[in-house]
Amino acid sequence: MEIGKHRREEQPPNLLRYLGIKVMKPRLTIYNKPWHDGNDKCVGILLIVRHINIHTFQVVAPLVTEVKCGLKIAVYDDGTVPQPFHLSFVLNKGIDYLVEDKRVEYVSWIHDDMYFMHDWVTPLISELEADKSIGKIGPVNPVLKQTEGHKGNQNPWIMPRNIALKYRFDEIYIGIGGFEDWDLNSCLERDGYKVWISPVTWVAHKDRGTRRYHDWSVEEAHNKKIYDMRWGGKRW
C-alpha cells in the first residue's frame, strides 16, 4: 500500500490489539428532532469525552436547540473505547458507526471544550454543497478574527459522506499525540480536495483542551516523526 493512501478498502488495521472490535457503539446517541420519515437526512456528529456528566449535556444542548438541520450525535466515553486510548482508532470507529446510517450525509467531530451558541452547522453545509472540491471544512476561531476563507485545519470539522466513506485517519498515529488530522488533510489535498476554513460561521474552541488530562508529549514526538517522514514537515 502506498504510504498515506488512506483509501478505506486499502488501509490495514495497524493496532493489532484492537482487531477483534468490529463495531464500537457509542455510550449515548442523541437526536435534535424526532425522525418520523426514514428518508430524513442529517449530520452525524462524533463527541468523545472522558466521562459523560452534566458538562456533556451542556455541550450538546445548544446543538440540539440551535442547529436547524437534522443531527445524530454519537457520544463515546472511556467506558466504550478500548484502553490505552488512541484517537485515530476511536475516530475511525465513530465514523464507521455514523456512516452505517444512510441518513447521515455529513460527518463531524466536536470537542467538549467548544462553545456552540448558534447554528454553525448549516452554513458550513451550504459551503460544501456550493463547492464540491472541499473535502473537509471548519469554521473560524473568533479569537483569530479571520474574515476570508482559506486553506487550513480547524476543529470542529465537517466532511461530506463520500469523503468519510473513502478516507480514514491512519491508526499508526498513537494516543492523542496529534498529526493524524494533518496527515488526512495532506492526503485530501494530494488527491485534489480542499481543506478549508470558512468565515461564514465561527466556534469558540479552547486550544489543546482535549489533551488537558494527560501528558501526551511522548506520543506527540512519535507522531511528528512519522508525519514529517511522510510529508516533509508540511504544516497546517
Side-chain angles (χ1 to χ4, degrees):
M1 184 188 77
E2 178 185 342
I3 290 178
K5 192 66 175 176
H6 290 260
R7 296 291 190 263
R8 185 184 187 194
E9 63 272 16
E10 295 177 0
Q11 183 169 333
N14 292 301
L15 301 175
L16 298 181
R17 57 188 169 279
Y18 297 156
L19 278 177
I21 300 176
K22 301 300 182 184
V23 177
M24 196 169 74
K25 293 185 178 179
R27 174 75 70 187
L28 181 67
T29 304
I30 302 169
Y31 304 91
N32 71 334
K33 64 178 183 178
W35 287 3
H36 301 296
D37 182 352
N39 293 320
D40 276 355
K41 302 299 182 181
C42 71
V43 178
I45 293 185
L46 177 61
L47 172 61
I48 304 167
V49 300
R50 282 176 58 87
H51 306 290
I52 294 178
N53 52 35
I54 187 63
H55 176 68
T56 309
F57 292 96
Q58 289 171 344
V59 171
V60 170
L63 292 174
V64 174
T65 58
E66 298 297 330
V67 175
K68 297 179 177 61
C69 62
L71 297 182
K72 180 176 183 176
I73 307 169
V75 185
Y76 290 86
D77 66 2
D78 278 358
T80 52
V81 302
Q83 302 296 324
F85 183 91
H86 295 285
L87 180 59
S88 56
F89 176 83
V90 179
L91 284 170
N92 286 341
K93 286 300 180 182
I95 293 171
D96 282 342
Y97 171 80
L98 289 169
V99 296
E100 277 185 348
D101 189 333
K102 297 191 186 315
R103 294 169 292 192
V104 172
E105 288 203 327
Y106 298 90
V107 173
S108 175
W109 178 39
I110 65 173
H111 300 183
D112 69 347
D113 58 348
M114 295 174 176
Y115 302 93
F116 306 108
M117 294 173 279
H118 60 286
D119 181 5
W120 59 275
V121 176
T122 305
L124 292 181
I125 290 177
S126 296
E127 292 272 294
L128 289 169
E129 291 179 345
D131 187 349
K132 299 298 184 181
S133 70
I134 299 177
K136 183 167 170 267
I137 193 169
V140 297
N141 187 323
V143 174
L144 303 179
K145 298 181 180 179
Q146 298 160 325
T147 58
E148 295 186 2
H150 60 92
K151 164 185 167 180
N153 186 67
Q154 185 63 279
N155 287 317
W157 49 255
I158 300 177
M159 292 192 297
R161 179 182 180 86
N162 67 303
I163 298 295
L165 288 170
K166 189 176 182 181
Y167 293 86
R168 281 295 181 272
F169 294 95
D170 197 323
E171 293 169 13
I172 199 170
Y173 295 99
I174 62 173
I176 309 182
F179 295 94
E180 75 288 325
D181 51 351
W182 286 14
D183 189 278
L184 179 60
N185 293 344
S186 297
C187 288
L188 289 170
E189 186 177 61
R190 178 202 59 205
D191 292 349
Y193 294 104
K194 292 192 291 190
V195 179
W196 202 246
I197 296 176
S198 173
V200 296
T201 188
W202 59 271
V203 169
H205 179 205
K206 183 178 179 181
D207 188 37
R208 288 181 171 248
T210 309
R211 308 184 192 188
R212 63 189 179 274
Y213 299 112
H214 182 75
D215 178 7
W216 296 100
S217 56
V218 172
E219 291 83 356
E220 183 172 1
H222 169 274
N223 292 355
K224 182 178 184 300
K225 182 178 180 181
I226 293 171
Y227 177 83
D228 287 347
M229 287 177 61
R230 285 184 173 180
W231 302 104
K234 180 179 181 179
R235 294 295 179 258
W236 286 88

